[in-house]
Amino acid sequence: MTPTPQPNTAVEAPTVENVRDTLGIGWREPRLSWITRTTADGWRQGVYELELVNSAGKRLSSVARESDESVLVSWPFAALESRERVGVRVRVAARSADRAHPAWSAWSDVTWVETGLLDESDWTARFVSPDWDEDASKDNPCAVLRRPFALDGPVRTARLYATALGVYEAELNGARIGDQVLAPGWTAYDQRLRYQTYDVTELLHEGANEFTATLADGWYRGRLGWEGGRALYGERLALLAQLEIVMADGRVFAVATDADGTWQAAPGPTLRASLYDGETHDARIRPENWHGVRAEAFDMAVLAAPTGPPVRRTEELSPVAVTTSPSGKTVMDFGQNLVGRLRLTVDGAAGREIVLRHAEVLQDGELAVEPLRTAEATDRYILRGGAPETWEPRFTFHGFRYVEVTGWPGEFDPDAVRAAVIHSDMERVGFFESSDELVNRLHENAVWGMRGNFLDVPTDCPQRDERLGWTGDIQVFSPTACQLYDSAGFLGSWLVDLALEQRADGAAPSIVPKVTPFADLAAAGWSDAATVVPWTLYQRYGDKGVLAAQFASMRAWVDHVAELAGPDRLWNTGFQFGDWLDPSAPAGQPQAAKTPAEVVATAYFAHSASLVAQAAAVLGLEDEERQYSQLAADVRTAFQHEYVTSKGRIIGDAQTAYSLALQFALLPGAEQRRHAADRLAALVRNNGHRIGTGFLGTPLICDALAENGHLETAYRLLLERGCPSWLYPVTQGATTIWERWDSMRPDGTVNRDGMTSFNHYALGAVVDWLYRTVAGLDCAEPGYRRLRIAPRPGGGLTYAKAVLRTPYGPASVAWRINGDELVVEADVPPNTTASVDLLGAGSLPDVGAGHHAWTIPAPKVATARFTLDSWVSELRGDQRALEIFKDAMLRYWPEVAEHLETPEADAGMDLTLRQLGDLAPRGQELLAELEHRFLGYADDNA
């Protein structure tokens, strides 16, 4: 007798590997995951059953196992063949003493899985290119390829397998195929070229049909990098398309690209399609003067199915304002710095040209195009005329908030324009909110920064003549990326290219894919993406597979650094980016940080060696674990002897130096760690709680402070609003993370350094700390199989909440201060447990799945003890201290006290109280009163 399904337990349809699009997968034995939803407290899975069905829904086989595994479970059925379509569903039962009669849940919905072309021999199509010569050193009109064919009956199913050297969009009978943008995306084309699989059954009909496709340069032949290189992968664009049609009577009909005389090509209406410069489209042009095609040689063995999400249009925004610039131009403001392009609907005379220029910010009311450098970021549409027409570029994208439009026929209509937001179509998984709206905006700025720069490759910025896969940026941001979106497939795919692009000596690139001479430069914190990103994916998703796939790459990189460092284990030679964009770095020298480059490099050497050792342990590689554990220990010892005093002072005496040493376990003694943490806190206080770190120190500093007795200093650093700080851009209206702490100067002018972006996610890496520490939702075991609930209220916040869709289901932690009480609530997903660490609550037991709540005394927040060496700007983070200061100033220096209320106050008060006293007419009296009153204030709040 079949047991009655549990009414309070349901299972979501299984997911396949790390993809949501399961048509055309490249795995013969894909791993499966599922999420259980139940109202039963403490629910743990005891057994699962997987069932396989064919395309008609007929059961093929099933497998039941006693196991609590539900994430990336091995495929239990026969390996799949090319083009095979099957369905899989799952049911589960909780742990029970009665193993013979489990109380099953209902079956989940069926997930349909269909493989693509898994073998090189599956391809009958060949790459074909238009049979005319083009000058690859400049933009060319986009070619249209076509193939008419006839069908003598109804169609049962049809699949298109396609890719290109370049980017492409395909149509059947005038209807666009699929919804992907800029396919096949950007990979190390000579070593891995992805193809796409489309279900085109509904686009075919009996009788005459026509397949067409348009080719554009994309990353393959378009210009890339600030050097302006073109045709970096090849000079000829080409299409590969294999349309396989199964007729209703079972016959198979194929239409495949080949130079057999059945395919034709002609220049189309898109006259220019440049990723950097924009697209020009003349709607009056119809393809004519058709030519033949020629075959293009290409290694078919490098074709691969996608393992990450495609790029899609994910949202549309309307203009929030339309203004006229001082020069008389019409400028649209979309209210958000975004990445994508415009779609417009317009009615005008044939031949009229509409010009759209894009920029991230305005300068004096006009588009600020200087930060774009040589990227024109300009689209042009030439009207066909005679009726309303709608157009959106297809083969470009821009980073922008503002668009200048000229040539619009008649009065401009903002309702006729929409901005299409474009990025890799990842699933949003993380949400954060707090009682501080500026912090909430900071979080959303990181979200938008990630959306704009996760466009098939994790780029540095999306607007200027760069847009490259800098490894340093994603190395520091990958933990935050995993908090915001499901990044497993996206980053896992990119890591494949990183490994492919590594040199034979193990040197990992600074840019992936490698498209500039500079890309081959191996540097600390950048090339360490080879170790850090795989380890991050393992920690956040519990995927041992990514470690197994990347382990050779990880160890090769560390072995390379070991060769560079030599027997003394100090990496102190060669160029380094260092703590890039330390705010104190001189103009034009972003690598000239306060923390010496050799300190950064050796610290990362130790860190990466340790990660390789840990990865080896996970994979059961005992010899490698011992080897790299010893190497990491040797590097730590060398670091301590060369760069650290016996008391814990570190050469450079800078915020990043201490953050690296504390977070990378480079200080062996408790006293050294305490001293280093105290010194770090002092540096932060002495800097007025303004940030003093660049790319590499920024993700670590709040953890280094909070985990070592200086939580309030970390909060003061987070909540500082003066420049440089995380919240300074927010106060200036930023809607994404800036590249520089001062991309926009306090006086409203754009930083003219020549390398200024307003959408550059790296410095937004602090958002990971918001989830783990401020809200207190952390991962205690890989993949969130075990959670850590450990909120750390502070900074005057009265509320914070984080929600995260983990591999086991939604988890959340929320806390609120109600008077003298702290109320904490948490949701723990089924099949997991959580440790609970609430300061002041003593030892608390672990909890299982379900909703939990605790009420404890609110933490007593220690008030900072201000001294005469405190910075004036530091007082702005403490209302009572600021009142004391203003009161004293009114009596001893009233004319300056009035200045404190003006917008220029911060700029004029960037000095210590003692320095201010030296300037005041009655300075010694002022200082004596301040010292006395601050001492009493500290005692009152001790």
Side-chain angles (χ1 to χ4, degrees), residues 621-699:
L621 305 173
E622 296 180 0
D623 291 343
E624 289 84 351
E625 180 188 0
R626 283 191 294 269
Q627 175 188 347
Y628 291 98
S629 293
Q630 185 60 56
L631 176 60
D634 292 345
V635 179
R636 283 194 293 268
T637 299
F639 182 94
Q640 294 153 13
H641 289 167
E642 186 74 11
Y643 303 130
V644 186
T645 69
S646 59
K647 289 187 176 181
R649 185 69 67 100
I650 302 175
I651 186 173
D653 195 35
Q655 292 181 23
T656 291
Y658 293 105
S659 298
L660 288 168
L662 289 165
Q663 294 309 107
F664 290 174
L666 301 177
L667 304 174
E671 184 62 20
Q672 270 194 331
R673 291 194 296 272
R674 184 194 63 77
H675 189 278
D678 289 348
R679 180 58 187 159
L680 173 60
L683 289 173
V684 171
R685 288 194 301 270
N686 293 343
N687 198 37
H689 291 97
R690 298 187 184 187
I691 200 73
T693 56
F695 272 30
L696 300 185
T698 294

Side-chain angles (χ1 to χ4, degrees), residues 95-112:
R95 287 180 178 175
S96 170
D98 187 2
R99 296 184 177 183
H101 301 93
W104 290 107
S105 69
W107 284 102
S108 72
D109 290 339
V110 172
T111 294
W112 292 102

Side-chain angles (χ1 to χ4, degrees), residues 23 103 122 238-239 241 421 426 568 602 605 627 637 656 669 676 678 692 713 743 749 763 834 862 871 886 919:
L23 176 65
D122 292 324
L239 175 71
V421 179
M426 303 165 293
D568 66 2
T602 304
F605 181 18
Q627 175 188 347
T637 299
T656 291
D678 289 348
T713 302
S743 286
T749 59
L763 298 179
W871 292 72
K886 288 181 178 180
L919 299 174

Side-chain angles (χ1 to χ4, degrees), residues 381-412:
Y381 181 67
I382 301 168
L383 274 66
R384 178 175 57 254
E389 44 201 293
T390 298
W391 176 72
E392 177 186 318
R394 295 187 292 170
F395 304 114
T396 191
F397 65 91
H398 310 291
F400 66 96
R401 173 174 172 171
Y402 301 93
V403 180
E404 175 192 283
V405 54
T406 56
W408 192 273
E411 183 178 354
F412 177 69

Side-chain angles (χ1 to χ4, degrees), residues 711-752:
L711 177 65
E712 276 305 308
T713 302
Y715 267 108
R716 294 281 297 278
L717 185 66
L718 171 71
L719 299 174
E720 172 60 37
R721 302 181 185 187
C723 182
S725 69
W726 281 294
L727 295 187
Y728 165 72
V730 179
T731 67
Q732 300 299 301
T735 60
T736 43
I737 302 296
W738 293 352
E739 178 177 21
R740 294 176 173 272
W741 297 109
D742 62 345
S743 286
M744 182 77 75
R745 304 287 198 189
D747 63 2
T749 59
V750 174
N751 188 319
R752 303 193 64 185

Side-chain angles (χ1 to χ4, degrees), residues 15 99 389 423 458 484 588 625 696 719 784 813 898 933:
T15 57
R99 296 184 177 183
E389 44 201 293
H423 57 84
L484 301 178
E625 180 188 0
L696 300 185
L719 299 174
Y784 291 89
V813 175
E898 295 175 2
R933 294 188 65 181

